Amino acid sequence: MKVLVPVKRVVDYNVKVRVKSDQSGVDIANVKMSMNPFDEIAVEEATRLKEAGKVSEIIAVSCGVLQSQETLRTAMAIGADRAILVETDVELQPLAVAKLLKAIADKEQPQLIILGKQAIDDDANQTGQMLAALLDWPQATYASKVEIDGDKVKVTREVDGGMEIVALTLPAIITTDLRLNEPRYVTLPNIMKAKKKTLDNIKPEDLGVDVTPRLKTLKVSEPAKRSAGIIVPDVATLVEKLRNEAKVI
């Protein structure tokens, strides 16, 4: 079984993001970039499925600037067999990414696509769902456990009320949540092996996809700073402040 794993290059989660002075976006100059954590979980899950004998090949895919090759090399160091970069300097939005992934899926014919539920930069949480709609495949989002049995896949997913178990018929799409697994530490020998693996570089035009942005960012600003907390003498004062000052009750 062939698995496709899309990964995204984002600002590292340990970095404090700064807004540009003109409020046109986020400043990424000289900032550490890494693989989106949810996508790293997706690569790890695909690798574990391969180690269990359920998967024969893992293809990592990234859409974006040339530097995304580093992210794909990391995916191959974790366990992906080969990688594809759809190179473009255009700001990619979820629908454009979903269309690019659909074109690659039509070409590669994977039986399963595993991707992170969202990217930590835009928090859109849309690409997986849009891709499922474009391919007309069943989907399971927020996966915390994945079990494959023949042409069926059973997914335990996290919902507001607890856990929900769904059964899908392959081909299917799964988006990963934090509790699915803990990604392995990438060792130096695997990093060296990843350098020898195949990484194909293509353009959106090669796939016949228009990636022109359909949304325009008007302004990016930091959230308002929180005021300092206070200590109240009793419950009555707390209720009074919540009702009259905070106006939350």
Side-chain angles (χ1 to χ4, degrees):
M1 182 171 71
K2 188 186 292 187
V3 176
L4 197 69
V5 185
V7 297
K8 186 177 183 180
R9 179 176 182 262
V10 299
V11 175
D12 189 87
Y13 67 91
N14 288 312
V15 173
K16 179 173 173 50
V17 176
R18 298 187 303 272
V19 175
K20 292 180 180 178
S21 58
D22 61 359
Q23 295 187 314
S24 62
V26 172
D27 185 7
I28 60 172
N30 302 315
V31 170
K32 181 184 178 184
M33 308 292 284
S34 61
M35 186 188 302
N36 178 46
F38 291 103
D39 296 337
E40 193 173 1
I41 291 170
V43 178
E44 173 67 26
E45 189 64 21
T47 302
R48 292 187 184 189
L49 290 172
K50 184 180 179 183
E51 291 170 346
K54 303 289 185 180
V55 170
S56 57
E57 185 182 24
I58 302 170
I59 307 168
V61 182
S62 190
C63 306
V65 295
L66 183 62
Q67 291 87 334
S68 297
Q69 287 183 344
E70 301 168 10
T71 306
L72 289 171
R73 292 292 180 193
T74 301
M76 289 190 285
I78 294 174
D81 298 292
R82 57 188 175 94
I84 301 171
L85 171 63
V86 184
E87 184 188 348
T88 177
D89 292 327
V90 176
E91 179 193 351
L92 293 174
Q93 294 171 350
L95 181 58
V97 176
K99 288 180 177 179
L100 291 171
L101 294 177
K102 178 188 182 299
I104 292 175
D106 289 340
K107 179 182 177 181
E108 295 290 344
Q109 294 294 307
Q111 285 73 52
L112 185 63
I113 300 177
I114 308 177
L115 65 161
K117 69 172 184 176
Q118 65 195 74
I120 62 172
D121 51 2
D122 58 15
D123 276 331
N125 188 4
Q126 295 176 338
T127 303
Q129 292 89 328
M130 288 178 170
L131 179 58
L134 291 172
L135 287 169
D136 195 24
W137 286 9
Q139 62 175 313
T141 54
Y142 315 120
S144 60
K145 186 177 181 181
V146 176
E147 300 170 273
I148 295 178
D149 184 13
D151 65 343
K152 303 283 186 182
V153 54
K154 186 168 72 172
V155 178
T156 302
R157 55 189 305 269
E158 298 186 359
V159 295
D160 290 341
M163 297 292 185
E164 178 183 65
I165 299 176
V166 295
L168 312 176
T169 302
L170 298 175
I173 291 175
I174 296 172
T175 71
T176 63
D177 214 334
L178 286 174
R179 291 179 182 83
L180 180 58
N181 61 53
E182 185 175 338
R184 68 194 66 189
Y185 177 76
V186 180
T187 62
L188 183 59
N190 286 337
I191 293 174
M192 301 306 294
K193 290 177 185 176
K195 293 182 178 180
K196 299 179 181 179
K197 294 182 179 180
T198 304
L199 198 163
D200 297 322
N201 196 320
I202 59 177
K203 303 285 186 181
E205 306 84 69
D206 301 332
L207 299 172
V209 177
D210 178 16
V211 295
T212 304
R214 287 164 169 75
L215 301 174
K216 181 180 179 181
T217 301
L218 300 179
K219 185 175 73 170
V220 177
S221 58
E222 293 187 7
K225 294 188 181 300
R226 297 176 62 181
S227 57
I230 61 171
I231 298 176
V232 295
D234 50 45
V235 174
T237 306
L238 173 62
V239 172
E240 187 272 329
K241 288 186 175 294
L242 289 175
R243 178 177 291 123
N244 300 322
E245 293 183 19
K247 298 187 184 301
V248 295
I249 58 174

